[in-house]
Structures are given as C-alpha cells and as structure tokens.
Amino acid sequence: MAGGAHFDGGTTKDYPGKLTGFVLLTCIVAATGGLIFGYDLGISGGVTSMNPFLKKFFPSVYRKETADTSTNQYCKFDSQLLTAFTSSLYLAALVASFFASYVTRKAGRKFSMLAGGIIFFAGAALNGGAKDVGMLIAGRILLGIGVGFANQSVPVYLSEMAPARYRGMLNMSFQLMITIGILIANLVNFGTNKIVGGWGWPVSLALAAIPAAIITVGSLFLPDTPNSLIDRGHDDAALNMLRRIRGTNDVEEEYKDLVVASNESKKIKHPWANILKRKYRAQLTVAIMIPFFQQLTGMNVIMFYAPVLFKTVGFGANASLYSAVIIGVVNVIATFVSIATVDRFGRRTLFLEGGTQMFICQLIVGTMIAIKFGTTGEADIPKWYAILLVLIICVYVAGFAWSWGPLGWLVPSEIFPLEIRSAGQAITVSVNMFFTFGIAQAFLAMLCHLKFGLFYFFAVWVFIMNGFIYYLLPETKNVPIEDMAIVWKKHSFWGRFIDDDQDNNGKPPHTPEV
Ligand code: BGC
C-alpha cells in the first residue's frame, strides 16, 4: 500500500439510522439536476452537425464543410467557430459556479437547484426559438448558468443527505442522471435529424426544457439538508429533518457533530481565503486535480465526437449515429456497476481499476488506428476492423463510467469541511468546465496534428492519474462527511500539512475503528 501513503477508510463513526425511502426519494429527485448537464453534453454535437442549423447560423462553416473534398480523415472536420459556440456554455457554467457557491451557502442547496432549473429553462426557450446567432448564444449562456448552479449544488446536497454508508451510491445517482441525459439527447438527435423541412434543430434544443422543468418542479418539493439548515440557524428544523431522513429518533450524536461543524463554519467569514490555508492543501489539491484528470481521460472526445470518429473510421452517417447510441447505453449501464460497488469496494479500487482499463483500451485504439491510417490519414478499413474498434471504445467507456465519471463528482463533494464545502465544489465545477471547454476546443486540431497519437496522449494522462490516486488519494468510503478531516490527518503525505490542534474541525481527534 504505497508505503502507508493512504488511510484505508474503514469507519470513523457509525451513526444509527438506515437508508429510508424518504432519503432515497429526495436524492433521486435532486439527482435529476444531472439531466440538464447530460442533455446538453449529448445534444450539441448532433445539432451542430445538422445542415439546416449550420445554414441558418453558421453559413461560412456550412460552405466550408460542403466544399471540403480532402481525403485525410484526421483533418476533415475542423471548425473552431462552431466548437467555440458549443463551448460557450462551459465558460458560462464556470463563472456561474462561483456565484452559486455563495447562494448555496447563504440560501441553501435547494435554492441553488431551483435557480439552476429556472435559468436553464429560460435558456432552452431562447434556444428553441432562436432567430439569430445572438439569441442562440444568449440562450447558451443561460443554459451554462443553469448547469453551473446545478452542478455546484446537487453533488453537495446528495453527499450531505446520504447516510455515510450509502453516500457513494446516492451521490452517484447524479452521474447516472448525467448519463441518462446524454443518452436521451443522442436519441432525440437521432429522431430530429430525420425531420424533413429543416426544423429538427429547434426541437432538439427546445426539448431541453423538459429536464429543466423536472429539476425546477422537483426542487420545489425538496427539503434542505440538515447541515445547511443548522448552518443557516434553523436548528429545530434540522433536527427534525435528520430524524426523518435517518428514520430514527436516535440521531443525537450525528446532530451534535453537525452543530460542531456548523459552529466552526460560522467563524469563517471568507471561505475563499480560508480554503487557501495550509491545512486544506490536500482538499484543495484534490478538488482541482480530480476534475482536471476527469477531463484528461479523453472521455469527452468520445462523447462529443463519437459520430465524427466513427465516420472517420469508415461508418456511414447513420451507422455512426447508431454507434453513438450504443456508447450512450454502455455509459448508462456501466454507471450502475459503480453505484452497486462504490460503498463496498471503495473509491480507490474503482478509480484504479477503471483507470487501468481505460489505459489499455486507449493503447489498443491508438495502435489500431495507427496500423490502418498511419500518418497520412487515408484508409479503407474492413467492417470487422471498425466493429472491433467500436467494441474496444465501449470497454473504454465502461471503464470511465464506473470510475472517473461518477467519482469525479462524488469525491470532491465529500472531502471538504462544511465551512468551505460550497467554495470547494465551485472550484471543482469550474475546473471541470474549463477543461471540458478546452478539450472540446482543442480536439479537432489535436486529431489533425497528433493523429492516432491523440489516443496515446490521453493514455499517458490516465497513467499519471492512476499514480495520483494510488499515492495521494485516501479512501473516503463510509466516513461520515463532517468527520472527514481525520482521513487527511492520517494520510502519510497530507497529514504533514495539518497541525494537531487544527484537525477534525477543532474536535479532539478520535481513532477510527477499522
Ligand atoms: C463528466 C462529463 C462527461 C460525462 C460522461 C461526467 O461525469 O463530467 O464531462 O461527458 O461524465 O458520462
């Protein structure tokens, strides 16, 4: 175990209570916040490849694409203008997550989810009825703000509501909704692409209003988390809520710990200055590196460009869309694997297994493309070869879907103490959005220049991130969220950053029963 470099989870405390139907329901409703992000991730690639959409909003791109007769498959689909449009959403989300962190801390997690839903709804309406590029971009910015608010508040909400023993499972329902959103969007595009008369794109864009309505209405009925209620001075309501979600009156110990955490939190007026303190170096590093690495797995290259990639290796337009749908299905199903295992096997096991699986697949895909396309980018590949390639990409997607996908949202949301949890999550969202934007923007140019080496490029990153997890990420399974400081304190590397009197929210440290 890496020279004792990590703390092997176990339980610090085991509060009484069970997984109640009520907490399950609230978590499922809150997780639907992931649908809006997923729908957007899945819809834009398809819409921006529809000719009527291009003709109306990006005529220059359309002309260029139809005039392009080059046979070099690596450099075929390059249009920065279009990717800039797609990516504007991620930049808006990046900025919005900082505002969301303030709202989430001051007004509660529920309020941010509601705000996210309403703003996303407005964006969908504007986009569906867009008459010019201005409306289109304004709509995308609103969608981005909605995503920023939802992604900042939902993971924190889920991690706080869940009993420690089921936190991984419940939090991952967020990622499950993201993957369902992506799949639905792929199917919608598949259908609207067939609409004659050129009005497929507004249907695809306007349908985003449905997931927006689900999270908006859903969040109206959601209770706030006990942690946030105490933090905002509603102690009685918090105690009642805790009893309700744990299904027992015996919540004294957990309640007391929440109050201690909240007292610490109240002393902090400036979470942003606080998060930079030496004692939070571990959490801050993880909150930045996890979303950065998640994007450097290269998953979004597959998500955004699967149809393009499959066209590149010789599938027809329809077959490419089918393959994208197959990948979407694999993504959803494989997410269940991590939901079922994360609280038993732990975060580290899933991270390391998924990472290894992705690494091997990337090497194979890179090599298979190298063998056929070489550096000229010209090839005629047999059907069986293309099918094999899709199969290996599916194994890669499964690896992501039970590791970096869900864990990329779970881990950052469960490692911070209450006073800086909102700020920490905003950092995670913004880093995630920044690199989602960066990869989307750079992919086509990278494919053109790195060619098959693009897959080796991501493989190297996956190798590095496995090392990061192995040496620097302690196991957090089953540890109560307001007790998390002990995990960092026990870690042989990160422990050095924490003085004895600073750990565990000022509470005396207690020894974990492993
Ligand atoms: C990531 C997205 C990705 C999706 C794929 C999410 O966790 O943040 O960037 O597209 O998973 O399922």
Side-chain angles (χ1 to χ4, degrees), residues 37 41 175 179 182 294-295 300 303 331 400 405 409 432:
F37 182 40
L41 285 165
Q175 173 72 11
T179 60
I182 295 175
Q294 190 204 51
Q295 292 308 311
N300 275 331
M303 286 292 112
N331 195 19
F400 177 90
W409 294 105
N432 193 307

Side-chain angles (χ1 to χ4, degrees), residues 305-490:
Y305 300 107
V308 173
L309 266 179
F310 293 147
K311 255 191 228 165
T312 304
V313 298
F315 282 112
N318 240 347
S320 309
L321 275 173
Y322 269 128
S323 315
V325 171
I326 292 173
I327 285 184
V329 172
V330 170
N331 195 19
V332 174
I333 293 175
T335 306
F336 281 103
V337 174
S338 63
I339 290 181
T341 56
V342 64
D343 293 310
R344 251 181 309 143
F345 299 165
R347 284 71 169 141
R348 286 171 51 85
T349 310
L350 288 178
F351 262 132
L352 294 172
E353 193 287 327
T356 309
Q357 187 170 324
M358 285 192 284
F359 176 74
I360 295 170
C361 291
Q362 276 157 333
L363 291 186
I364 300 177
V365 170
T367 308
M368 282 181 75
I369 294 186
I371 290 171
K372 286 290 175 194
F373 288 89
T375 48
T376 60
E378 290 171 23
D380 202 6
I381 65 171
K383 193 128 222 109
W384 68 266
Y385 204 84
I387 291 174
L388 186 64
L389 210 52
V390 173
L391 274 179
I392 294 165
I393 290 180
C394 285
V395 178
Y396 162 85
V397 168
F400 177 90
W402 60 56
S403 64
W404 281 90
L407 294 168
W409 294 105
L410 165 65
V411 170
S413 78
E414 65 181 8
I415 55 173
F416 280 102
L418 184 61
E419 62 269 25
I420 48 172
R421 191 170 299 144
S422 274
Q425 184 66 15
I427 292 176
T428 294
V429 175
S430 58
V431 172
N432 193 307
M433 295 300 147
F434 182 78
F435 287 98
T436 306
F437 161 81
I439 299 274
Q441 203 66 25
F443 165 70
L444 293 167
M446 283 167 86
L447 182 64
C448 188
H449 293 109
L450 294 179
K451 305 180 169 66
F452 58 84
L454 182 64
F455 296 93
Y456 297 149
F457 169 82
F458 287 120
V460 169
W461 278 107
V462 173
F463 186 79
I464 295 173
M465 58 190 88
N466 256 17
F468 178 88
I469 298 296
Y470 188 73
Y471 290 106
L472 292 176
L473 189 80
E475 181 55 65
T476 47
K477 82 167 177 197
N478 295 346
V479 180
I481 192 162
E482 306 303 353
D483 250 359
M484 204 56 83
I486 188 86
V487 169
W488 301 105
K489 176 78 185 151
K490 286 251 161 194

Side-chain angles (χ1 to χ4, degrees), residues 48-385:
T48 51
S49 66
M50 292 179 188
N51 284 340
F53 175 86
L54 289 179
K55 264 193 225 162
K56 186 171 169 72
F57 298 109
F58 299 94
S60 62
V61 176
Y62 178 69
R63 277 196 301 274
K64 202 174 142 219
E65 271 196 15
T66 42
D68 184 5
T69 52
S70 85
T71 48
N72 180 344
Q73 300 292 345
Y74 291 130
C75 300
K76 223 170 156 52
F77 302 90
D78 197 351
S79 58
Q80 292 293 319
L81 182 64
L82 209 55
T83 39
F85 157 76
T86 308
S87 307
S88 60
L89 181 146
Y90 304 107
L91 291 183
L94 187 164
V95 176
S97 67
F98 289 101
F99 291 96
S101 91
Y102 182 79
V103 175
T104 303
R105 187 168 186 220
K106 293 287 174 201
R109 286 71 174 124
K110 171 193 164 106
F111 192 81
S112 281
M113 288 187 245
L114 181 64
I118 294 173
I119 300 170
F120 194 91
F121 191 89
L126 212 56
N127 263 354
K131 298 270 173 286
D132 50 40
V133 179
M135 273 177 88
L136 209 56
I137 290 183
R140 271 198 88 65
I141 291 175
L142 289 179
L143 294 180
I145 299 175
V147 167
F149 269 78
N151 287 18
Q152 195 279 336
S153 51
V154 173
V156 167
Y157 181 92
L158 295 170
S159 283
E160 288 182 345
M161 283 305 245
R165 263 171 295 139
Y166 301 101
R167 191 175 55 240
M169 173 187 116
L170 291 176
N171 182 291
M172 283 182 172
S173 52
F174 177 63
Q175 173 72 11
L176 182 66
M177 294 293 175
I178 295 179
T179 60
I180 292 176
I182 295 175
L183 178 61
I184 292 175
N186 281 340
L187 292 169
V188 166
N189 274 341
F190 193 62
T192 58
N193 199 26
K194 294 195 180 348
I195 295 179
V196 279
W199 50 272
W201 67 265
V203 177
S204 284
L205 295 181
L207 283 177
I210 296 179
I214 295 176
I215 180 64
T216 305
V217 176
S219 63
L220 282 175
F221 293 97
L222 286 177
D224 227 324
T225 66
N227 319 48
S228 173
L229 285 168
I230 297 177
D231 210 28
R232 288 178 294 125
H234 308 296
D235 291 16
D236 290 344
L239 183 59
N240 288 335
M241 184 49 60
L242 195 59
R243 288 187 173 139
R244 197 153 170 220
I245 59 179
R246 298 290 176 257
T248 169
N249 281 341
D250 184 12
V251 293
E252 194 111 322
E253 200 189 352
E254 184 172 4
Y255 180 75
K256 264 203 233 138
D257 285 351
L258 295 188
V259 171
V260 173
S262 165
N263 288 341
E264 277 306 298
S265 163
K266 286 198 183 106
K267 289 188 210 150
I268 306 298
K269 292 281 166 287
H270 304 289
W272 292 106
N274 211 52
I275 209 168
L276 296 176
K277 286 194 177 150
R278 186 180 154 82
K279 64 174 171 173
Y280 297 130
R281 204 52 48 82
Q283 290 95 322
L284 184 61
T285 307
V286 171
I288 294 172
M289 294 314 283
I290 295 276
F292 165 74
F293 283 145
Q294 190 204 51
Q295 292 308 311
L296 265 292
T297 56
M299 173 65 169
N300 275 331
V301 160
I302 308 290
M303 286 292 112
F304 296 153
Y305 300 107
V308 173
L309 266 179
F310 293 147
K311 255 191 228 165
T312 304
V313 298
F315 282 112
N318 240 347
S320 309
L321 275 173
Y322 269 128
S323 315
V325 171
I326 292 173
I327 285 184
V329 172
V330 170
N331 195 19
V332 174
I333 293 175
T335 306
F336 281 103
V337 174
S338 63
I339 290 181
T341 56
V342 64
D343 293 310
R344 251 181 309 143
F345 299 165
R347 284 71 169 141
R348 286 171 51 85
T349 310
L350 288 178
F351 262 132
L352 294 172
E353 193 287 327
T356 309
Q357 187 170 324
M358 285 192 284
F359 176 74
I360 295 170
C361 291
Q362 276 157 333
L363 291 186
I364 300 177
V365 170
T367 308
M368 282 181 75
I369 294 186
I371 290 171
K372 286 290 175 194
F373 288 89
T375 48
T376 60
E378 290 171 23
D380 202 6
I381 65 171
K383 193 128 222 109
W384 68 266
Y385 204 84

